[in-house]
Amino acid sequence: YIPIASFIFKMECDYPAPLNGKVLKLHFACRAKLPYGSFLRVTSSNLWGSTIQSGSIASTAISNTDANYVELDSEHKIIYSSSVEMVTTPEEYPLWKTRTPVICVVNSDCNDNIFQHKYRYLVVTPGSAITDSVDVVTSDEQDGVVNVTTWEDPFDDMSHGDETKVVKKKKSLSKLPFRVVDIDMSLLDPESVKETALSYPPRADGRFLENVHIDNFNDPNDTSFQAYKKTLEFPALNESFMEEDEESKPEDIIRNKRIFLVCYHLPVTVAKNEVSGEYTAEFTESLIAKTEHGSITKTNETFWLGTVSTKAESEEEREKIRSVLKPLNCFPLFFDDETVDSFYFGMCKQILWPTFHNIDLIDIAKSGWGKHSFVHEEGRIKTESDNCWDQSRLDIWWHSFMAVNQHFSDALMKVLKPNDVVWVHDYHLALLPKLLDDAESCLYGKRVFQKVFFLHIPFPTSQVFRELERGEQILEGMLHADVVGFHAFDHARHFLNASKRILGLSHESLTGGLIGVKFRGTKVLVTISNVSIEADVVEKALESQEVQDAAEALRLKHKGRSIISGIDIAQGLSGVSLKLLAFEKLLTDYPNWRDKAVLIQICLIPSSRIIDEADTLSHVRFLVERIKKAFGSNVIQYEECLGSSLPRQRRLALWLASEVFMSVPIREGLNLLPLEYVFSRKSPGTPGVTITSEFSAVCSILNGALRVNPFDIQASSTSIDTALAMPLDQKISRRERDIQFVSSSSSGLWTRRVLADLADVTMSTAKEKQKEKNRINSSDLDPSGFSISSAPLDTVAVAEAYNIARKRVIFIDFNGTIVMKEPTGKYLKRSMLGTSEAKPPSETIDALIKLCADERNIIYVVSGDTEHNIENAIGHIKGLGLASGNGGSLSHPTSESGKRKWIMTNLGVDWDAIKKVTLPILAKYTARANGSFVKLTSSSIGWSYYSCDPEWGSLLAESLVIELENKLQIFDVHLVTLKGVVEVVPRKLNKGLVVKEVLRRNELPDFVLCVGDDVSDEKMFTAVFSVIAQSYSAGRSIPHHAYTITVGKKVSNASYYVETAPDVADLLLKLSGMTYSTGRAMSWDSDDVGQSMFES
């Protein structure tokens, strides 16, 4: 044998046309000595397709997201590969030749006019069975499947040099070798096209040309293996790349980047000298304030953007404030009083703050959030409410919320440069990441900034979050960041659950304890990062004489008593009333502490929630007076202070004098006061005891604290008794559990940790891009074992090929392609897939009407839906062909309006017998899941759980598949789970039947377009090439251009992909000559008010 070339091919072109989408016809020949009864095949347009077929009964993977491919090494998974038959004769054996050509299309840029096609030779043995956990099947000539029993692996030690060696699946399919044929695209030039090699079938003389070279099965020296041999060098290069990346530290990636810390309240205090009129400014106590220890400002140029609490009545005063803040790298923004009232005191504090703290909107509107007066009447508390809730205010507040976020975005875009890092803090600016993303995409055409969003308050359960009228927009705004951070896992868990149940987004665990949420084709990193106090600052303050003297004064004032201290915001969620009730219970049940304990309670009044604060203070004052009246004034010292914080010196003095610190909020984000207390009682001082609420974020940080449920008054009072009576050795033991973290986790270190997570995202993205580049350069395969050969669709090239074509055929999927579909994992869906309500937007229908009016076009919409639903949606369009039930019934184009005629496909299945077995089972599952229903078409029986709770529906679907598999083994059917539906369908049924029927009954066109979005559409893609190959062998003319397109970048038999369904609509508009985009029309929310929220 002469192993120096790899193919015989013929290419034709009748007129100038774009190379993109050009149909190529390739013939192959190979010498192979195979066992008796085995046959040789060559892979078709792709090495491996993504269609999942069956053994006895096949079922696709059931999950909350659509399954487009399977895990190769998982159990009982079956991979489908399209291939072309090769034949031989007794005279020519062992020479095998393709009976029909392999059809492929040019779907990428060609380097030096060379287009590369990858292929493999497969051996099939009809009737054989493979017991390995991963099976591969390929097509036969009767639209069925047959097991792949052997393929080449001449680079395996066990099979090297033995062409008859049967190579079983001992390694992952991604590791198997492949061949490459280089096609000179310059031959497609109409001026220079000529027959360079004989096309099979051969010429009339029945001979091959003498210069034709033939592949040799399992021969590693074949030149067509040269590209694969080069890939064997790439693992070392990849490993070197990985090692180089691993040596890179996050600091190296972030170093020298400018960092913008964005928050509504700048961490500064601006004071005005009333005499001189001049302003002064300094950083306050804040996580994001500039610090001396470990600050990121030492390695990165850092800026702060936000508002100041100081009012500036004139532009002159604003300019003075800007000037005094400029040396601190702080940029202030100013808003009028009306905007502040609506944005901050309205939307933020009256809606978002309580909602994020898990307060139901019903509670906000009706119970406990108005202004109350408390009076004592016959031993009971009587309330008189003056609460007023006006839902109409939400629209005004929301528009102010959008306006403020937009103002922040506009201000940032004036100063940001590519590669800058933007770190957005807290819920006030939840829309900002998306607004920045939109702005940078508009300005630069891509994402050029890195964004972090960190939430410092709790995140609510998905059930509470769904009550927000604009909750989806807030969630999407946060998800446009590269990293979303939380202080506690509970908060992150609620965020992940909301993303899943509200937006239908899935997440996965990543290396290093991180979590990735799949959003818009990327992974958003979710991180949990804890932070402590500035230990060096607190240490210095503790040494001051002022603090020591104040602490001693408190001890003398309450001599002989153990001090229990607490500093809380005077708001309902702080749990001050519950703390007082627990203290009252302690004095009642443990009378020995009446003369030995005192509670020092300080309530801070920030004036951010005035009604709530007045309500809380009224209740607290009532309880304080009741305690004093019952047990004397010496058991409690109560104080109220204006502002949101107490000066550090006063706090530290209180901590030094207190033996117990108690903070029992009902809901709370991060509160650093318990950590400051622990540090203040460090060695060699006497340790104190911390009592924290199990509903607080600090509860998961302080392992040595006593944890209580503040609603359990009896347990809380018992915990106070335990704390007061705790032996010294136990106090020391509890302190030692926490002191290391408290002392060494400064805000500077916390900042670096979060930025390190951002660096991890950057490094991961860089690695993925490098791997993809290596795969492209080396013609390597995707690790899953499939060939990801789809390329981004060039709509201009499609339009050019369409316009010059004399005859065209277009196949379009329905749900998910021209009708938007929501993810199956989404809890509440606005769509009703599988019903008559599912219709394309009006612009798309207009485009279809115009396309169907063109006599050169034949257009079919192929759906898995029922005849009634598909006809109700688009059946009125004249000249449009329809297919329902995934090809089970067909309605050819009609020039008249009225009732359509449907032709049923006979697939040899006794549906009456199947219904007797299936329907009782489906009825049982339907009764268990509200929202589920039985879906009957002419060619399938389905159970839809699309509108159910996604988790419950998925669990039931898994059980249903197992039960149906057992019951239907004797029938020629298989199971498919897709788009929230479990369907029983004939084994031979697929959408490819429609493609074959339409193309075979008409003269083949010059132009073929086929578009789909999921696994059920893969057979349409392979059918296009199958018919073209068979037509060519039969001497019929074949298309010059063929475009098979999948929606979304994924493993597919399609040659091209578009990102989203609106891109399909835009393509149809372009082909029809219409110029406007349907991007907005494809949205679920067609309400103009809702859609304009991110505009201007």
Side-chain angles (χ1 to χ4, degrees):
Y1 310 136
I2 308 174
I4 58 176
S6 59
F7 62 91
I8 313 164
F9 68 98
K10 178 180 180 181
M11 297 170 286
E12 300 171 351
C13 184
D14 295 337
Y15 49 81
L19 290 181
N20 196 296
K22 186 66 183 175
V23 175
L24 301 179
K25 308 171 287 291
L26 305 178
H27 274 282
F28 292 83
C30 180
R31 289 188 176 93
K33 294 180 179 180
L34 302 181
Y36 181 76
S38 296
F39 301 89
L40 191 67
R41 301 181 74 91
V42 63
T43 52
S44 187
S45 54
N46 286 328
L47 283 181
W48 298 105
S50 64
T51 305
I52 302 170
Q53 290 291 334
S54 63
S56 57
I57 291 182
S59 59
T60 61
I62 298 173
S63 66
N64 287 335
T65 57
D66 295 328
N68 289 322
Y69 60 92
V70 296
E71 197 72 37
L72 283 185
D73 294 327
S74 58
E75 189 175 0
H76 305 310
K77 299 302 182 182
I78 302 174
I79 313 304
Y80 170 80
S81 168
S82 62
S83 63
V84 172
E85 180 187 32
M86 301 185 76
V87 297
T88 186
T89 65
E91 295 77 19
E92 292 181 324
Y93 182 81
L95 180 64
W96 299 76
K97 308 169 186 176
T98 48
R99 182 193 299 273
T100 58
V102 169
I103 302 297
C104 61
V105 298
V106 180
N107 66 343
S108 61
D109 295 332
C110 303
N111 295 325
D112 299 325
N113 288 322
I114 300 299
F115 173 71
Q116 291 190 324
H117 172 73
K118 295 190 289 287
Y119 64 101
R120 284 177 178 147
Y121 290 113
L122 312 175
V123 177
V124 300
T125 306
S128 67
I130 298 180
T131 59
D132 288 34
S133 61
V134 179
D135 294 344
V136 178
V137 296
T138 188
S139 53
D140 61 21
E141 304 314 305
Q142 288 76 40
D143 296 324
V145 295
V146 62
N147 287 327
V148 176
T149 54
T150 313
W151 50 77
E152 298 177 288
D153 193 357
F155 304 95
D156 185 87
D157 293 337
M158 296 179 61
S159 62
H160 182 67
D162 185 356
E163 66 178 25
T164 64
K165 182 75 174 181
V166 175
V167 182
K168 294 280 186 173
K169 291 174 284 301
K170 300 297 184 182
K171 61 172 73 174
S172 169
L173 294 182
S174 63
K175 303 300 182 182
L176 289 174
F178 55 89
R179 298 174 182 262
V180 173
V181 55
D182 293 334
I183 303 171
D184 188 352
M185 299 307 299
S186 64
L187 298 178
L188 292 175
D189 188 330
E191 301 299 326
S192 61
V193 167
K194 60 181 180 179
E195 188 175 295
T196 58
L198 189 65
S199 173
Y200 186 81
R203 290 182 172 180
D205 56 12
R207 296 184 298 106
F208 284 100
L209 296 179
E210 293 182 359
N211 64 342
V212 171
H213 304 291
I214 301 167
D215 283 335
N216 297 280
F217 188 79
N218 224 38
D219 190 334
N221 297 316
D222 273 9
T223 54
S224 54
F225 276 129
Q226 287 182 354
Y228 173 75
K229 290 178 180 178
K230 292 181 180 180
T231 68
L232 300 179
E233 304 171 5
F234 271 85
L237 295 177
N238 289 338
E239 184 177 349
S240 174
F241 171 76
M242 296 301 179
E243 290 176 355
E244 182 179 344
D245 273 357
E246 288 172 0
E247 292 176 0
S248 300
K249 298 180 180 179
E251 290 83 356
D252 298 331
I253 296 178
I254 299 298
R255 193 183 304 277
N256 298 326
K257 289 192 175 184
R258 302 195 309 167
I259 299 176
F260 287 79
L261 302 176
V262 187
C263 51
Y264 181 69
H265 297 290
L266 279 173
V268 295
T269 298
V270 177
K272 180 180 181 181
N273 188 314
E274 296 299 334
V275 177
S276 64
E278 298 299 319
Y279 289 89
T280 58
E282 63 179 355
F283 282 105
T284 60
E285 294 182 68
S286 171
L287 287 180
I288 61 173
K290 183 177 180 180
T291 59
E292 296 300 324
H293 181 67
S295 175
I296 195 68
T297 59
K298 295 182 179 180
T299 55
N300 296 75
E301 191 175 7
T302 308
F303 304 90
W304 288 261
L305 179 72
T307 66
V308 292
S309 57
T310 303
K311 287 190 176 182
E313 302 296 339
S314 64
E315 182 59 33
E316 180 182 359
E317 289 190 337
R318 292 182 178 183
E319 191 57 40
K320 287 182 179 181
I321 293 175
R322 294 189 186 102
S323 299
V324 78
L325 289 175
K326 188 174 182 180
L328 302 180
N329 276 2
C330 293
F331 297 93
L333 298 181
F334 300 93
F335 298 95
D336 58 71
D337 291 343
E338 184 177 353
T339 299
V340 172
D341 286 342
S342 296
F343 167 79
Y344 184 71
F345 294 105
M347 190 68 194
C348 290
K349 286 300 179 180
Q350 298 301 316
I351 302 298
L352 297 183
W353 188 87
T355 301
F356 272 69
H357 282 79
N358 250 336
I359 303 300
D360 194 287
L361 286 182
I362 293 293
D363 293 331
I364 296 175
K366 297 296 182 183
S367 54
W369 291 89
K371 185 176 181 180
H372 291 69
S373 60
F374 291 81
V375 295
H376 186 259
E377 183 178 10
E378 297 180 354
R380 296 184 177 182
I381 296 176
K382 178 182 178 181
T383 64
E384 296 177 359
S385 175
D386 184 26
N387 185 29
C388 181
W389 175 262
D390 184 1
Q391 186 79 16
S392 64
R393 294 180 299 180
L394 296 185
D395 285 339
I396 299 174
W397 291 352
W398 174 253
H399 284 293
S400 294
F401 189 76
M402 289 190 298
V404 170
N405 276 262
Q406 185 64 59
H407 192 66
F408 270 85
S409 176
D410 295 340
L412 281 168
M413 290 303 297
K414 294 178 182 178
V415 295
L416 287 175
K417 299 177 182 178
N419 296 320
D420 284 347
V421 176
V422 181
W423 187 340
V424 182
H425 288 272
D426 233 358
Y427 66 104
H428 314 87
L429 303 175
L431 302 182
L432 185 54
K434 184 183 187 304
L435 295 176
L436 288 175
D437 192 85
D438 293 343
E440 64 183 329
S441 297
C442 181
L443 182 61
Y444 298 101
K446 59 180 181 180
R447 301 184 72 177
V448 296
F449 312 136
Q450 292 176 292
K451 296 181 282 293
V452 177
F453 181 87
F454 208 99
L455 188 67
H456 297 281
I457 63 175
F459 194 92
T461 64
S462 61
Q463 185 171 356
V464 172
F465 191 82
R466 283 202 310 269
E467 295 178 4
L468 288 175
E469 188 175 341
R470 306 290 184 171
E472 284 191 30
Q473 290 89 328
I474 293 172
L475 200 57
E476 289 180 352
M478 297 170 63
L479 283 165
H480 275 75
D482 299 290
V483 175
V484 179
F486 302 89
H487 286 297
F489 175 71
D490 261 0
H491 308 162
R493 178 168 55 85
H494 291 158
F495 173 78
L496 294 172
N497 199 36
S499 299
K500 177 182 179 181
R501 297 175 74 83
I502 296 175
L503 298 179
L505 305 178
S506 60
H507 61 271
E508 60 184 354
S509 297
L510 306 177
T511 304
L514 302 174
I515 304 169
V517 177
K518 298 176 182 178
F519 179 65
R520 298 171 67 246
T522 62
K523 287 183 182 178
V524 179
L525 198 67
V526 177
T527 182
I528 298 95
S529 185
N530 297 322
V531 65
S532 184
I533 60 174
E534 302 302 314
D536 56 332
V537 177
V538 176
E539 176 73 33
K540 185 176 181 180
L542 285 170
E543 296 173 354
S544 70
Q545 192 61 44
E546 178 185 356
V547 171
Q548 295 295 330
D549 292 344
E552 183 60 27
L554 282 173
R555 295 189 192 102
L556 290 175
K557 181 178 180 179
H558 301 287
K559 188 175 182 180
R561 293 179 181 267
S562 297
I563 297 176
I564 306 166
S565 61
I567 301 176
D568 301 277
I569 300 293
Q571 294 176 359
L573 294 181
S574 296
V576 182
S577 297
L578 296 176
K579 183 195 299 186
L580 292 173
L581 289 173
F583 182 66
E584 183 182 48
K585 185 70 171 175
L586 170 78
L587 299 179
T588 302
D589 293 351
Y590 301 89
N592 56 303
W593 292 116
R594 295 175 184 176
D595 298 325
K596 297 180 181 179
V598 59
L599 172 64
I600 300 180
Q601 176 62 48
I602 300 176
C603 285
L604 303 176
I605 309 172
S607 300
S608 59
R609 290 177 49 80
I610 298 176
I611 296 178
D612 181 19
E613 291 163 12
D615 185 349
T616 302
L617 288 172
S618 179
H619 196 186
V620 167
R621 291 166 187 163
F622 169 75
L623 290 175
V624 169
E625 291 303 316
R626 190 170 75 179
I627 292 172
K628 287 183 177 181
K629 184 177 180 179
F631 305 105
S633 60
N634 291 332
V635 299
I636 188 168
Q637 176 182 322
Y638 174 71
E639 183 179 350
E640 296 174 2
C641 296
L642 290 176
S644 57
S645 66
L646 202 65
R648 181 184 287 118
Q649 287 74 12
R650 284 202 60 189
R651 296 199 311 264
L652 296 180
L654 181 58
W655 305 154
L656 289 177
S658 305
E659 295 186 19
V660 177
F661 171 87
M662 188 173 186
S663 175
V664 287
I666 298 171
R667 303 281 190 277
E668 188 178 51
L670 181 64
N671 181 1
L672 294 179
L673 295 186
L675 287 80
E676 189 178 69
Y677 174 79
V678 171
F679 183 80
S680 300
R681 309 286 301 199
K682 65 183 180 65
S683 180
T686 304
V689 180
T690 305
I691 301 175
T692 62
S693 166
E694 62 186 51
F695 304 120
S696 65
V698 78
C699 178
S700 61
I701 298 176
L702 292 180
N703 296 313
L706 294 176
R707 297 168 177 144
V708 300
N709 179 347
F711 294 102
D712 189 340
I713 304 301
Q714 180 63 61
S716 296
S717 66
T718 302
S719 294
I720 299 174
D721 174 69
T722 300
L724 291 171
M726 186 176 292
L728 179 61
D729 59 338
Q730 289 189 27
K731 291 182 180 180
I732 294 175
S733 176
R734 288 179 176 274
R735 181 179 64 185
E736 293 306 310
R737 299 180 196 177
D738 300 318
I739 195 64
Q740 178 63 34
F741 171 81
V742 171
S743 303
S744 60
S745 301
S746 65
S747 61
L749 180 60
W750 168 75
T751 301
R752 293 185 180 278
R753 285 173 178 166
V754 176
L755 291 177
D757 290 338
L758 179 62
D760 285 339
V761 175
T762 305
M763 293 171 64
S764 176
T765 302
K767 287 180 182 179
E768 290 178 1
K769 289 182 179 179
Q770 183 64 35
K771 286 180 181 178
E772 181 65 22
K773 183 178 180 181
N774 289 347
R775 281 197 293 268
I776 294 173
N777 292 339
S778 65
S779 301
D780 199 2
L781 294 178
D782 178 73
S784 66
F786 299 119
S787 173
I788 304 181
S789 57
S790 301
L793 183 68
D794 183 350
T795 57
V796 175
V798 176
E800 290 178 359
Y802 173 87
N803 290 330
I804 62 177
R806 294 184 293 269
K807 188 176 182 182
R808 314 139 178 156
V809 175
I810 299 175
F811 302 96
I812 310 171
D813 173 49
F814 190 63
N815 284 329
T817 302
I818 58 173
V819 172
M820 285 281 285
K821 68 175 182 181
E822 294 175 283
T824 306
K826 196 172 180 180
Y827 178 63
L828 290 178
K829 305 176 183 70
R830 303 177 194 175
S831 65
M832 292 293 290
L833 291 187
T835 71
S836 58
E837 296 180 13
K839 297 180 181 180
S842 58
E843 293 89 343
T844 304
I845 291 178
D846 292 342
L848 287 173
I849 292 174
K850 191 169 183 179
L851 289 171
C852 290
D854 192 327
E855 295 181 352
R856 294 173 293 177
N857 294 339
I858 298 175
I859 302 177
Y860 281 79
V861 172
V862 186
S863 173
D865 222 331
T866 64
E867 297 168 5
H868 171 75
N869 291 339
I870 188 71
E871 188 172 345
N872 182 71
I874 52 177
H876 64 283
I877 300 178
K878 295 180 180 180
L880 178 64
L882 301 178
S884 71
N886 288 320
S889 58
L890 189 63
S891 174
H892 292 296
T894 175
S895 58
E896 300 178 359
S897 58
K899 188 171 180 62
R900 282 181 170 267
K901 295 181 180 179
W902 290 89
I903 303 172
M904 302 298 123
T905 304
N906 184 7
L907 298 171
V909 175
D910 185 353
W911 280 115
D912 290 335
I914 294 175
K915 286 180 181 178
K916 288 182 181 179
V917 175
T918 305
L919 291 181
I921 298 175
L922 298 185
K924 176 175 62 177
Y925 281 84
T926 302
R928 292 176 181 171
N930 185 39
S932 65
F933 60 90
V934 177
K935 172 185 173 185
L936 296 176
T937 71
S938 60
S939 55
S940 68
I941 303 173
W943 181 72
S944 173
Y945 62 94
Y946 179 78
S947 298
C948 300
D949 182 296
E951 295 178 51
W952 177 231
S954 181
L955 287 173
L956 289 179
E958 291 180 14
S959 176
L960 175 61
V961 166
I962 295 173
E963 190 167 348
L964 288 177
E965 281 181 337
N966 293 331
K967 297 291 185 181
L968 298 176
Q969 290 184 8
I970 62 174
F971 298 100
D972 190 25
V973 296
H974 70 112
L975 302 179
V976 174
T977 302
L978 196 65
K979 296 178 182 175
V981 180
V982 177
E983 283 190 293
V984 182
V985 299
R987 196 180 306 279
K988 294 181 180 180
L989 177 67
N990 62 77
K991 292 183 179 180
L993 298 177
V994 177
V995 173
K996 292 179 179 180
E997 166 67 18
V998 172
L999 292 180
R1000 286 170 177 168
R1001 77 191 301 264
N1002 298 281
E1003 178 185 352
L1004 282 186
D1006 306 316
F1007 175 95
V1008 177
L1009 177 70
C1010 184
V1011 192
D1013 75 303
D1014 57 39
V1015 172
S1016 66
D1017 302 310
E1018 295 295 323
K1019 275 289 190 177
M1020 286 203 301
F1021 305 146
T1022 56
V1024 169
F1025 298 118
S1026 175
V1027 174
I1028 291 175
Q1030 293 170 6
S1031 299
Y1032 177 74
S1033 297
R1036 301 171 62 191
S1037 62
I1038 66 172
H1040 295 286
H1041 288 85
Y1043 296 91
T1044 52
I1045 307 166
T1046 187
V1047 179
K1049 186 177 181 180
K1050 55 179 175 281
V1051 176
S1052 174
N1053 286 306
S1055 300
Y1056 302 91
Y1057 72 89
V1058 293
E1059 293 289 351
T1060 61
D1063 294 329
V1064 177
D1066 287 338
L1067 174 63
L1068 296 178
L1069 290 172
K1070 183 184 288 289
L1071 297 183
S1072 66
M1074 303 167 71
T1075 57
Y1076 55 90
S1077 169
T1078 62
R1080 273 176 42 137
M1082 294 293 287
S1083 171
W1084 291 111
D1085 188 354
S1086 60
D1087 178 61
D1088 290 338
V1089 175
Q1091 289 297 314
S1092 64
M1093 77 180 71
F1094 293 123
E1095 298 173 5
S1096 65

